[in-house]
DNA sequence: TATACGTGGCA
DNA sequence: TTGCCAAGTAT
């Protein structure tokens, strides 16, 4: 006989809603597979969760497909050259994720026999896996009753309980609320249901409260102002930094590229040479920062907004011999897809060579 | 606890 | 246009 497992009313309402509004995402197990007791592949769950950190579902989809096609298993990823991983990740942002993705795959392959740890604690010890991802993979891939809390869950919980304490101070309280709601029988579905609810119904602006399965129990809705939650600390304003970028083109149609240092901003990614990025550009020393002497011609300014500052790069272009010695390499303009170029560098190149990416 | 860390879409 | 923000982590 089947014993009834105690479940919070909110969890029951949410799971019922989830079963009726299942979203078909590439990394998800279909309802039919789940009904047959099949668990999702931990590698796919992990890969998708890392890609989804601070990144939209739409942006992740093509990258997830590309990675899965190129590296079908965690062992394949562990054996891949680091540079190939950075090339494949280029454009997705937060490049420390790609560096840690590779380290994590190596740890799983070398220290865990090719199998992901099946507990929240074991997962949490791996590179690039923090509180959220450890709980998410434990719950979704291994059916562990972990309390999964991301930005969506914070919003849902803060509204449900009308939590006035600002983030991030309110996180421990919110986490305890999530833990109290997480059901032991379907923790993975519950976590995904909470995130789906936050993504589609309990949205930051103009939430669709009339369609919410938790509307009868939501204190923020009862207070007539759900958009007030979650309360957040005030943001700091974004400083502007300036610099110059140097796009050297050879007679053969090659472009001069470099690899950035492993750590920090755009760490391990490919760049065109630039000056430092500072509060003001010194006209006297700008072209001295060029990788080699040439007839540098200014050809415009590109603006790029990072998380914590705005960058305005003056782009210089010159013809140069591709035998010039400097700590970089010459790459065919027709083969720039093979380079690990972050978006800001593609913008600079496109400013100097408008059809570089066509 | 606060800061560094990308990018693109949307109102 | 400008700001907000999206399935966070590391230090």
């Amino acid at each position: 006989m089947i014993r009834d497992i105690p479940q919070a009313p909110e969890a029951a309402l949410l799971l019922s809603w989830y079963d009726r509004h299942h979203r078909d995402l590439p990394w998800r197990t279909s309802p039919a597979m789940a009904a047959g007791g099949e668990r999702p592949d931990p590698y796919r769950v992990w890969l998708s969760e890392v890609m989804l950190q601070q990144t939209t579902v739409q942006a992740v989809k093509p990258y997830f497909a590309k990675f899965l096609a190129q590296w079908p298993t965690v062992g394949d990823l562990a054996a891949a050259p680091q540079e190939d991983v950075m090339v494949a990740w280029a454009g997705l942002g937060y490049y420390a994720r790609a560096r840690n993705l590779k380290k994590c795959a190596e740890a799983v392959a070398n220290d865990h026999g090719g199998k992901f740890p099946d507990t929240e604690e074991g997962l949490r010890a791996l590179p690039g896996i923090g509180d959220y991802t450890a709980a998410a993979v434990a719950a979704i891939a291994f059916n562990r009753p972990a309390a999964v809390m991301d930005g969506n869950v914070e919003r849902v919980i803060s509204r449900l309980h009308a939590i006035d304490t600002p983030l991030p101070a309110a996180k421990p309280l919110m986490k305890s609320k999530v833990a109290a709601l997480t059901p032991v029988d379907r923790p993975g579905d519950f976590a995904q249901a909470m995130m789906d609810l936050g993504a589609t119904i309990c949205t930051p602006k103009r939430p669709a409260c009339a369609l919410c399965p938790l509307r009868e129990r939501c204190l923020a809705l009862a207070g007539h102002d759900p958009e007030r939650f979650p309360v957040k600390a005030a943001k700091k304003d974004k400083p502007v930094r300036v610099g110059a970028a140097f796009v050297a083109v050879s007679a053969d149609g090659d472009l001069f590229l470099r690899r950035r240092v492993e750590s920090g901003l755009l760490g391990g990614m490919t760049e065109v040479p630039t000056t430092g990025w500072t509060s003001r550009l010194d006209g006297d020393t700008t072209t001295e920062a060029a990788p080699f002497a040439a007839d540098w011609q200014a050809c415009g300014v590109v603006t790029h907004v990072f998380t914590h500052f705005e960058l305005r790069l003056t782009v210089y272009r010159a013809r140069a011999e591709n035998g010039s010695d400097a700590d970089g390499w010459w790459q065919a303009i027709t083969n720039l897809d093979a380079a690990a170029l972050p978006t800001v560098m593609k913008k600079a190149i496109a400013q100097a060579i408008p059809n570089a990416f066509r």
Side-chain angles (χ1 to χ4, degrees):
Chain A
M1 102 173 231
I2 298 174
R3 181 190 298 269
D4 251 8
I5 300 172
Q7 196 175 74
E10 290 87 351
L13 290 165
L14 191 61
L15 285 168
S16 171
W17 172 83
Y18 181 68
D19 290 336
R20 285 176 282 119
H21 299 271
H22 190 273
R23 287 208 290 170
D24 192 21
L25 299 173
W27 42 86
R28 259 186 201 173
T29 303
S30 71
M33 289 169 63
E38 193 166 341
R39 303 299 314 170
D41 176 5
Y43 171 63
R44 297 184 188 211
V45 175
W46 163 74
L47 180 62
S48 66
E49 290 301 343
V50 172
M51 287 183 167
L52 286 162
Q53 291 166 6
Q54 297 287 285
T55 309
T56 58
V57 165
Q58 284 309 313
V60 164
K61 280 180 178 175
Y63 285 85
F64 180 79
K66 178 168 60 175
F67 269 69
L68 213 54
Q70 197 165 351
W71 301 294
T73 71
V74 68
D76 297 323
L77 187 58
Q82 173 76 25
E83 183 66 14
D84 290 0
V85 177
M86 302 314 283
V87 170
W89 196 277
L92 199 54
Y94 283 144
Y95 298 100
R97 292 186 294 173
R99 303 193 296 269
N100 286 327
L101 193 79
K102 178 79 167 86
K103 287 182 196 164
C104 183
E106 289 169 356
V108 169
N110 300 331
D111 306 337
H112 298 275
K115 301 277 190 191
F116 279 86
D118 65 357
T119 66
E120 191 176 1
E121 299 72 29
L123 290 159
R124 182 66 179 80
L126 292 167
I129 298 188
D131 290 343
Y132 162 75
T133 304
V137 175
I140 296 168
F142 298 113
N143 208 35
R144 302 281 187 179
V148 176
M149 194 170 74
D150 73 331
N152 288 304
V153 178
E154 286 172 1
R155 190 166 53 254
V156 172
I157 286 292
S158 69
R159 288 175 178 170
L160 192 60
H161 298 283
I163 295 174
D164 283 309
T165 310
L167 285 169
K171 280 192 179 186
L173 172 61
M174 292 184 185
K175 182 107 171 183
S176 70
K177 299 289 190 188
V178 176
L181 290 183
T182 300
V184 294
D185 56 337
R186 297 178 63 188
D189 286 345
F190 175 78
Q192 293 176 92
M194 287 284 277
M195 293 189 283
D196 280 9
L197 188 74
T200 63
I201 303 288
C202 194
T203 49
K205 303 294 180 189
R206 300 173 56 88
C209 298
L211 303 178
C212 180
L214 305 181
R215 63 187 178 280
E216 302 289 342
R217 295 169 174 274
C218 181
L219 291 181
L221 181 57
H224 304 101
D225 191 11
E227 275 191 33
R228 183 160 77 83
F229 303 96
V231 180
K232 295 186 177 182
K235 291 187 170 58
K236 300 191 169 180
D237 56 28
K238 200 165 281 194
V240 174
R241 297 187 197 170
V242 298
F246 301 96
V247 179
V249 183
S250 78
D252 298 344
D254 292 346
L255 199 58
F256 185 69
L257 298 176
R258 283 179 176 169
R259 184 179 170 89
R260 292 174 65 86
V261 295
E262 276 303 311
S263 61
L265 186 69
L266 310 178
M269 299 296 285
T270 297
E271 66 171 4
V272 293
T274 75
T275 63
W277 303 344
T278 58
S279 60
R280 46 181 292 182
L281 194 57
D282 185 335
D284 291 337
T285 60
T286 294
T287 50
E288 292 173 18
F292 34 72
D295 183 22
W296 296 106
Q297 300 290 323
C299 54
V301 175
V302 295
T303 296
H304 189 78
V305 181
F306 291 99
T307 305
H308 54 297
F309 67 93
E310 176 183 323
L311 178 65
R312 294 177 189 162
L313 276 180
T314 300
V315 180
Y316 289 85
R317 176 182 51 204
R319 307 288 300 200
E321 290 305 312
N322 61 7
S324 306
D325 59 324
D327 53 350
W329 67 92
W330 293 85
Q331 179 137 353
I333 292 172
T334 53
N335 194 30
L336 291 180
D337 287 344
L341 289 167
T343 298
V344 62
M345 295 301 161
K346 289 190 174 182
K347 283 188 189 176
I349 293 168
Q351 182 66 38
I353 311 167
N355 61 355
F357 298 98
R358 304 190 55 206

